[in-house]
Amino acid sequence: MLPTVIPHMKQLALVAALAACLAAPAQAFNLGSVLSAGSDLVKSATLSDGEVKAMAAEASKSMDRQNKVAAAGSAYGKRLNKIVQGLGNEDGLQLNFKVYQSKEVNAFAMADGTVRVYSGLLDKMTDDEVRYVIGHEIGHVKLGHSKKAIQVAYAASAARKAAAGSGNNIAASLSESELGDFAEQIVHAQFSQSQESDADAYAVEFLKRHNYNLQGAPAALRKLAALFGNEGSVLASHPAPGDRADKVEKLIK
């Protein structure tokens, strides 16, 4: 993750969320049932890739409803289309892209192939730098970091339902507010230093694989350090962007 200016957060929640689906189809999965309480708590550690993908798809829909999506023909939409031209199936993950019109410097990816980039990020970064950010987020998905994040979000949601609905029947499906809360937990997930470093390394390979400008990786991280500072205290468990830029530069030499 990278630092950002967001009303309720101080880091770039380049999330993403969730591992790619290698199993059951999304339509075969009932999100409301999986998020019911009680004995389902144990299931958080054994969610299948199909269930994870289905959760991602529902969370993505919720986020799209909550945000203003730039039209494909808008300046932001056209620019993102140009940035990601030729990107479709990435290592088994079928990608779909949209821009959220918001000053937040933010982006995230999910297991169903969702990639969302905020206009605030596009305003601050060059095309090459945005490509690094996208590669970094896909890295969290493909390396399995995001599946752990959704397991944590699932467990927390189930625990709340267990506490609030003990002895009562749980609704078969989530309300919009419940789904929105669950989506926020996924999108704002936090990763460890080693996970962030591994996602950086994945992003470098992503840039190489698509013949993108490798300098976009350290440039993006140094820009974040210049914009928001290079203090690790922005998110104590995460390496500062300037320090990550030094490591990334070694990878591209």
Side-chain angles (χ1 to χ4, degrees):
M1 293 182 188
L2 311 172
T4 185
V5 175
I6 300 179
H8 302 296
M9 10 173 343
K10 291 186 178 180
Q11 76 276 2
L12 177 59
L14 293 177
V15 166
L18 323 172
C21 175
L22 299 175
Q27 61 267 30
F29 171 66
N30 185 309
L31 181 63
S33 295
V34 169
L35 289 176
S36 62
S39 63
D40 280 350
L41 279 171
V42 71
K43 188 175 176 59
S44 65
T46 58
L47 292 172
S48 73
D49 288 335
E51 290 167 335
V52 167
K53 182 183 179 183
M55 286 183 178
E58 292 302 317
S60 171
K61 291 176 186 176
S62 177
M63 292 299 292
D64 284 354
R65 288 191 294 266
Q66 293 174 36
N67 289 276
K68 183 178 180 181
V69 178
S74 67
Y76 284 121
K78 288 179 179 179
R79 184 179 168 208
L80 183 60
N81 285 339
K82 180 182 128 203
I83 290 172
V84 302
Q85 186 175 7
L87 287 179
N89 189 304
E90 179 61 29
D91 195 17
L93 189 65
Q94 192 65 39
L95 304 174
N96 68 89
F97 299 90
K98 290 181 183 179
V99 176
Y100 286 168
Q101 291 190 202
S102 169
K103 293 182 180 180
E104 297 177 8
V105 180
N106 199 5
F108 64 87
M110 290 188 174
D112 64 331
T114 289
V115 179
R116 301 293 181 260
V117 179
Y118 289 64
S119 60
L121 181 70
L122 293 173
D123 289 339
K124 296 294 185 182
M125 294 194 172
T126 67
D127 291 359
D128 290 329
E129 292 163 353
V130 173
R131 289 183 181 113
Y132 151 76
V133 168
I134 290 172
H136 178 97
E137 288 313 293
I138 292 172
H140 279 309
V141 173
K142 296 303 297 180
L143 295 171
H145 305 158
S146 317
K147 184 172 184 178
K148 295 178 182 177
I150 199 173
Q151 288 171 334
V152 170
Y154 167 84
S157 178
R160 285 197 304 274
K161 285 179 175 291
S166 179
N168 300 321
N169 291 327
I170 304 298
S173 61
L174 292 174
S175 68
E176 180 65 24
S177 61
E178 289 170 329
L179 181 58
D181 181 60
F182 181 69
E184 285 293 319
Q185 290 184 62
I186 299 171
V187 171
H188 296 158
Q190 298 176 0
F191 300 106
S192 69
Q193 290 191 30
S194 63
Q195 288 174 327
E196 292 294 346
S197 295
D198 289 346
D200 282 341
Y202 184 99
V204 169
E205 292 305 312
F206 169 86
L207 296 178
K208 289 179 180 178
R209 186 161 59 250
H210 294 285
N211 295 315
Y212 293 146
N213 185 352
L214 300 182
Q215 292 300 325
L221 290 165
R222 293 201 185 284
K223 183 171 288 185
L224 287 164
L227 287 169
F228 309 119
N230 193 41
E231 296 297 326
S233 59
V234 169
L235 190 57
S237 64
H238 290 36
D243 297 337
R244 287 168 59 193
D246 291 339
K247 293 180 180 179
V248 164
E249 282 184 331
K250 294 177 181 179
L251 294 176
I252 65 178
K253 289 182 179 178

